[in-house]
C-alpha cells in the first residue's frame, strides 16, 4: 500500500465500533480507499507485473449469486469488503487482493489519485443510476467529500448546470472552486424548506431534472424531492438517517422517481480514464497528508473527525 484515504465510515467505526448491523467484535484494520504497487502476483495473473502501480476496488463478491451473475455484484450478499466487519481493510503495509480488482494506473495518474477512485466511484455510480447526461440539470444536496466528487462526476458526465447546497460556507466555497454553477446555503430547520426550495430552483434558472442527496437526512431528502421537476429523478446517495419522514405523496403525484445507490459497480476503468484525460481533477480534494507512524495515524483520524477545512485526509505509506 502506498496511498490510503480516510472515509467517514472509517471514522464512524473508530468512534462507534459499528455501522448499522456491521459490528466490530474483534480488532480490525480499517481503510478502503487505496492504491499501491504490485509486489508479487499469483500464477494466474497475466495482466499485471511486479512494480505496476494499481488502484484497488475494495469489494470481493462471490460471482455465484443472482446479483453477481446479473452484473449487479455490488448487491452480493456475500461481499467481502475492506474494513467492513469482519474483514480487514487496507490501511496496512501490504494486502493480498484479487488481480481482477487491481487496476493499473497510467503514468500521468498518481497513487493518491488512484486511491481517490474509490470515493469518485460513488459519484460515478450515482450519476449512472440517475441518468445524468448533457441535458440534465443537476442538484447536489450536501457538499461533503461525497457531494463534491458527485459534483465532479456530474460535470464529467456532461451535466450543463450543477447547483450544490450545504449548511457550511467553507464547503460551498470549495464547491464553487471545483466548478459548481451556483451554491445555496441552507439550514437544518424543516420550517425553512419551502423558501429554500424556491431559492434552489431560482439558482438553477431552469427545471431540476435530477437531484442527488449526498447527505441522507429527512431534511435533505425532502429538499431533493420538492425541488425536482415533475417526471424527474431523485437519487439517495448518503445514509445519514436510517428512517425518514418525507413528502412522498407530493413526489408521487409529480411522478418523481426515487432510486438508491449502494457503493458502486464497474466504475474503476471509467474513473481512471476521467483522471487520465483531465475530465476530473480530484487533487484539490486532498487537503491533509500524513505518514504511517502511530502518531500520524492518531492525528490523521482526529483531523478527519473534526471536519472543518478537512475534505480528504490521505496517508502516504
Amino acid at each position: 500500500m502506498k496511498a490510503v484515504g480516510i472515509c467517514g465510515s472509517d471514522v464512524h467505526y473508530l468512534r462507534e465500533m459499528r455501522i448499522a448491523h456491521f459490528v466490530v467484535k474483534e480488532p480490525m484494520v480499517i481503510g478502503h480507499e487505496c492504491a499501491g504497487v504490485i509486489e508479487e502476483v499469483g500464477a494466474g495473473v497475466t495482466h499485471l507485473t511486479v512494480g505496476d502501480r494499481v488502484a484497488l476496488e475494495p469489494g470481493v463478491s462471490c460471482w455465484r449469486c443472482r446479483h453477481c451473475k446479473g452484473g449487479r455484484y455490488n448487491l452480493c450478499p456475500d461481499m467481502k469488503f475492506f474494513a467492513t466487519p469482519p474483514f480487514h481493510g487496507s490501511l496496512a503495509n501490504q494486502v493480498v487482493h484479487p488481480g481482477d480488482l487491481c487496476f493499473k494506473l497510467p503514468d500521468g495518474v498518481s497513487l493518491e489519485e488512484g486511491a481517490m477512485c474509490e470515493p469518485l466511484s460513488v459519484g460515478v455510480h450515482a450519476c449512472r443510476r440517475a441518468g445524468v447526461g448533457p441535458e440534465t440539470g443537476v442538484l447536489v444536496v450536501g457538499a461533503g467529500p461525497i457531494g463534491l466528487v458527485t459534483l465532479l462526476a456530474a460535470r464529467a458526465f456532461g451535466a450543463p448546470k450543477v447547483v450544490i447546497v450545504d449548511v457550511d460556507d467553507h464547503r460551498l466555497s470549495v464547491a464553487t472552486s471545483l466548478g459548481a454553477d451556483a451554491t445555496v446555503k441552507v439550514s437544518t430547520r424543516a420550517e425553512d424548506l419551502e423558501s429554500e426550495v424556491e431559492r434552489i430552483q431560482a439558482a438553477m434558472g431552469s427545471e431540476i431534472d435530477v437531484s442527488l442527496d449526498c447527505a441522507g437526512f429527512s431534511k435533505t431528502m425532502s429538499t431533493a424531492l420538492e425541488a425536482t421537476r415533475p417526471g424527474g429523478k431523485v437519487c439517495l446517495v448518503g445514509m445519514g438517517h436510517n428512517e425518514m419522514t418525507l413528502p412522498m405523496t407530493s413526489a408521487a403525484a409529480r411522478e418523481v422517481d426515487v432510486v438508491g445507490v449502494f457503493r458502486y459497480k464497474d466504475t474503476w476503468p471509467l474513473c481512471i480514464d476521467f483522471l487520465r484525460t483531465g475530465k476530473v481533477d480530484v487533487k484539490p480534494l486532498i487537503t491533509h497528508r500524513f505518514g504511517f507512524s502511530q502518531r500520524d495515524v492518531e492525528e490523521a483520524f482526529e483531523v478527519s473527525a473534526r471536519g472543518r477545512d478537512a475534505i480528504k485526509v490521505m496517508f502516504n505509506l
Side-chain angles (χ1 to χ4, degrees):
M1 288 290 94
K2 293 297 183 183
V4 181
I6 297 179
C7 173
S9 66
D10 296 319
V11 175
H12 198 87
Y13 275 126
L14 190 62
R15 283 178 159 180
E16 307 295 334
M17 302 299 285
R18 70 179 299 156
I19 293 178
H21 62 281
F22 295 107
V23 181
V24 181
K25 297 179 180 179
E26 56 188 38
M28 182 186 79
V29 176
I30 49 182
H32 60 270
E33 304 176 359
C34 55
V37 177
I38 298 291
E39 192 169 86
E40 187 177 349
V41 296
V45 178
T46 57
H47 68 293
L48 296 170
T49 59
V50 173
D52 283 347
R53 300 175 315 116
V54 293
L56 280 65
E57 182 173 351
V60 183
S61 56
C62 75
W63 293 114
R64 295 185 300 273
C65 69
R66 63 178 295 184
H67 303 297
C68 287
K69 289 181 176 180
R72 302 181 74 176
Y73 63 86
N74 56 312
L75 303 179
C76 176
D78 295 320
M79 178 74 77
K80 298 176 176 62
F81 197 91
F82 278 159
T84 298
F87 306 107
H88 286 305
S90 58
L91 184 53
N93 289 308
Q94 295 172 313
V95 298
V96 179
H97 206 54
D100 63 350
L101 297 175
C102 298
F103 297 87
K104 188 173 179 178
L105 295 172
D107 289 340
V109 177
S110 71
L111 286 157
E112 287 189 338
E113 291 174 282
M116 290 294 292
C117 283
E118 198 280 339
L120 180 58
S121 285
V122 177
V124 166
H125 186 53
C127 287
R128 283 176 172 170
R129 289 277 288 154
V132 173
E135 297 180 328
T136 314
V138 174
L139 169 66
V140 177
V141 184
I146 294 300
L148 295 174
V149 293
T150 300
L151 158 66
L152 294 175
R155 272 283 185 248
F157 273 75
K161 189 162 188 179
V162 183
V163 173
I164 190 164
V165 308
D166 200 272
V167 298
D168 185 84
D169 285 318
H170 174 70
R171 295 267 165 126
L172 290 175
S173 69
V174 173
T176 299
S177 71
L178 292 174
D181 293 288
T183 62
V184 178
K185 186 177 182 181
V186 295
S187 75
T188 58
R189 297 186 300 272
E191 56 266 30
D192 295 333
L193 178 64
E194 185 176 350
S195 62
E196 288 172 355
V197 167
E198 291 176 358
R199 289 195 291 124
I200 291 166
Q201 291 173 330
M204 179 62 77
S206 58
E207 289 190 313
I208 295 169
D209 302 297
V210 166
S211 293
L212 301 142
D213 179 6
C214 298
F217 296 101
S218 293
K219 170 77 185 298
T220 58
M221 194 61 177
S222 296
T223 299
L225 289 166
E226 292 291 276
T228 304
R229 67 164 173 83
K233 189 171 288 188
V234 171
C235 183
L236 177 57
V237 185
M239 295 183 174
H241 280 161
N242 198 39
E243 295 182 0
M244 304 184 196
T245 301
L246 301 172
M248 292 303 297
T249 303
S250 167
R254 291 180 291 118
E255 293 195 355
V256 175
D257 293 339
V258 179
V259 297
V261 301
F262 184 61
R263 295 173 179 156
Y264 31 67
K265 64 180 183 72
D266 192 28
T267 51
W268 260 252
L270 182 58
C271 288
I272 290 172
D273 195 58
F274 280 161
L275 297 173
R276 179 186 63 81
T277 59
K279 282 189 174 181
V280 170
D281 183 8
V282 293
K283 294 189 291 293
L285 298 177
I286 305 171
T287 54
H288 296 74
R289 293 174 173 85
F290 292 89
F292 194 41
S293 68
Q294 179 71 23
R295 182 176 179 181
D296 278 329
V297 171
E298 292 176 4
E299 185 178 353
F301 275 92
E302 288 171 5
V303 168
S304 184
R306 272 201 309 269
R308 298 179 191 168
D309 62 337
I311 299 174
K312 182 55 61 179
V313 178
M314 186 73 66
F315 291 106
N316 294 128
L317 283 70

